[in-house]
Amino acid sequence: MTNKPTQKKGASKFKLFLKVTMLVTLSLAICATAYGVYLTKQAKHAVDQAYEELDERNIPNNREAKVEPADDNVSILILGVDDSEKRGQGAEHSRTDALLLATLNNKTKTVKLLSIPRDSYVYIPHVGYRDKINHAHAFGGTLASIETVEELFDIPIDYYVRMNFHAFIDIVDALGGIEAEVPYDLLELDENDKRTVDLKAGLQTLDGREALALARTRKQDSDIERGKRQQDIIKAVAMKAASFTSLTKYDDILSAVGSNMKTDMSFKEMRSFFSYLTNGMPRIDALTLTGYDDTSKGTYYYKLDQENVDEISHILQSHLGLTPESTNYSSTGTESDSAYKEADDDSMTQ
């Protein structure tokens, strides 16, 4: 009989412990839910602010209907523009400082990433003659660039993302920087065209300004090497964004891009691409256009090798499912999707 008060006291303490635990758990769940709702609302606001549907933009060639990213293979054209007030060009009249094309295969969750040299001598439908591909944007804005790339590779461009230097800097900074290989010592221009970015050769953790400088530099090598650096930087950004530690920073990223980025992707369509990150970093295969320097007309152009253009076109068409077979590309050549499925999951084309 003497043990009953003790048992009651112990039971009361246990009940109190359960109540406190449940209260704390419930509070954490509410906070997590509230934060998730906050992110969703902030994300939607940022994307709504960035959304820009192009006038006279129809369903691309080779498409019977508008794609659904959750189910279909898609292509995205990424345009980096310098819309600084110093140049006085504005977002719609500037030349593209960077032009990257990505195709995403929904079945294999793989990505093909192609950097197009800015001085590539190509046919520009908007004006009806050949010129540097980075002039297309100055001639007719984003739509002219899209039509030029579609003409060059005979593929549909399903979406575009156009961002200025500030968006790129803010994204990298919001991720806490990225790791990248600096090929040589460089003193490069910053986003305000002042030579303030001083980098040493080697593997570095770069902030937004430094990553931008590395992506822009080409004085010590070539536009081709510059394109490869841009591909590596995009991979580094994707790898950091796919990491668990970056999830809490998405709100900072979304806040940054709203006023410095334009895209014709809706909030729902953007969310569909998260499926490529559910199993970690997706496989990204880098493609390179080959060619030669030409100054015969008194102006520097990069003349593309037509056989290489045809090969790249076939790879992109296959990856989008526009041809009977599907092809993956690596730095050593091509390989079938079935071969890739048997490969080590940790492997990725460098």
Side-chain angles (χ1 to χ4, degrees):
M1 297 295 294
T2 56
N3 290 334
K4 285 187 177 180
T6 305
Q7 289 175 350
K8 283 186 177 181
K9 187 175 181 180
S12 297
K13 286 184 178 180
F14 183 68
K15 287 180 180 179
L16 178 62
F17 173 75
L18 283 178
K19 289 179 180 179
V20 172
T21 302
M22 290 177 64
L23 182 61
V24 171
T25 303
L26 182 60
S27 298
L28 289 174
I30 291 173
C31 289
T33 303
Y35 184 66
V37 170
Y38 162 75
L39 279 182
T40 300
K41 287 184 176 179
Q42 178 147 320
K44 190 175 187 308
H45 174 73
V47 174
D48 287 346
Q49 187 179 0
Y51 185 79
E52 181 182 78
E53 189 172 351
L54 300 177
D55 294 335
E56 301 179 7
R57 174 69 169 153
N58 301 315
I59 295 174
N61 295 332
N62 303 330
R63 293 292 193 202
E64 295 180 357
K66 192 177 186 300
V67 294
E68 294 291 340
D71 304 309
D72 300 323
N73 306 325
V74 301
S75 63
I76 304 173
L77 184 63
I78 305 168
L79 305 96
V81 298
D82 178 5
D83 59 1
S84 62
E85 293 181 3
K86 180 178 179 180
R87 303 222 198 290
Q89 295 175 329
E92 279 300 327
H93 299 287
S94 61
R95 298 172 183 176
T96 47
D97 198 65
L99 200 61
L100 293 104
L101 174 61
T103 59
L104 295 83
N105 187 283
N106 191 274
K107 182 178 180 180
T108 61
K109 301 300 181 189
T110 57
V111 180
K112 305 288 186 227
L113 184 63
L114 172 68
S115 177
I116 306 174
R118 53 185 286 174
D119 295 321
S120 298
Y121 189 64
V122 301
Y123 179 74
I124 301 176
H126 183 79
V127 293
Y129 56 81
R130 290 179 174 271
D131 205 333
K132 294 183 180 182
I133 196 167
N134 71 329
H135 289 185
H137 194 269
F139 292 148
T142 303
L143 182 58
S145 293
I146 289 173
E147 292 172 344
T148 301
V149 175
E150 287 181 332
E151 171 80 16
L152 180 61
F153 298 111
D154 191 23
I155 64 166
I157 300 299
D158 299 307
Y159 299 104
Y160 81 88
V161 175
R162 187 184 75 231
M163 65 175 66
N164 61 19
F165 290 166
H166 296 289
F168 178 83
I169 291 171
D170 290 343
I171 288 171
V172 174
D173 285 343
L175 288 169
I178 59 170
E179 278 199 349
E181 186 73 31
V182 180
Y184 41 71
D185 293 352
L186 62 90
L187 182 61
E188 186 56 69
L189 298 174
D190 60 20
E191 68 278 16
N192 298 313
D193 287 335
K194 295 181 180 179
R195 206 167 290 278
T196 64
V197 181
D198 189 4
L199 294 176
K200 302 300 180 184
L203 185 65
Q204 310 268 358
T205 297
L206 307 179
D207 63 20
R209 293 173 65 257
E210 293 166 337
L212 176 65
L214 181 61
R216 295 179 69 192
T217 190
R218 59 171 178 165
K219 299 299 182 183
Q220 297 188 47
D221 41 39
S222 66
D223 206 30
I224 297 300
E225 293 304 314
R226 180 177 184 265
K228 291 178 181 178
R229 281 193 293 276
Q230 290 172 354
Q231 290 171 322
D232 289 340
I233 289 171
I234 292 293
K235 286 183 182 181
V237 168
M239 185 174 293
K240 197 68 180 287
S243 67
F244 177 78
T245 56
S246 297
L247 291 177
T248 56
K249 299 181 180 180
Y250 283 160
D251 55 345
D252 295 331
I253 298 171
L254 294 167
S255 296
V257 301
S259 59
N260 294 311
M261 183 185 84
K262 292 298 178 184
T263 180
D264 57 352
M265 275 187 276
S266 68
F267 180 60
K268 179 182 177 182
E269 289 167 331
M270 269 194 185
R271 291 182 65 182
S272 298
F273 291 112
F274 284 125
S275 64
Y276 285 82
L277 301 175
T278 52
N279 293 319
M281 177 70 173
R283 172 173 170 149
I284 301 178
D285 292 336
L287 308 177
T288 301
L289 283 167
T290 60
Y292 61 93
D293 300 335
D294 179 50
T295 56
S296 61
K297 297 181 183 295
T299 301
Y300 172 76
Y301 295 104
Y302 188 69
K303 293 290 187 70
L304 299 175
D305 182 307
Q306 189 56 50
E307 287 188 6
N308 175 249
V309 171
D310 293 341
E311 179 187 5
I312 296 294
S313 297
H314 179 70
I315 291 169
L316 297 175
Q317 290 166 6
S318 297
H319 197 237
L320 289 171
L322 302 175
T323 58
E325 72 279 9
S326 180
T327 306
N328 272 326
Y329 182 91
S330 67
S331 58
T332 57
T334 59
E335 59 183 357
S336 67
D337 278 342
S338 59
Y340 165 62
K341 291 174 184 176
E342 296 173 359
D344 189 341
D345 290 339
D346 294 330
S347 68
M348 184 179 74
T349 300
Q350 301 296 323

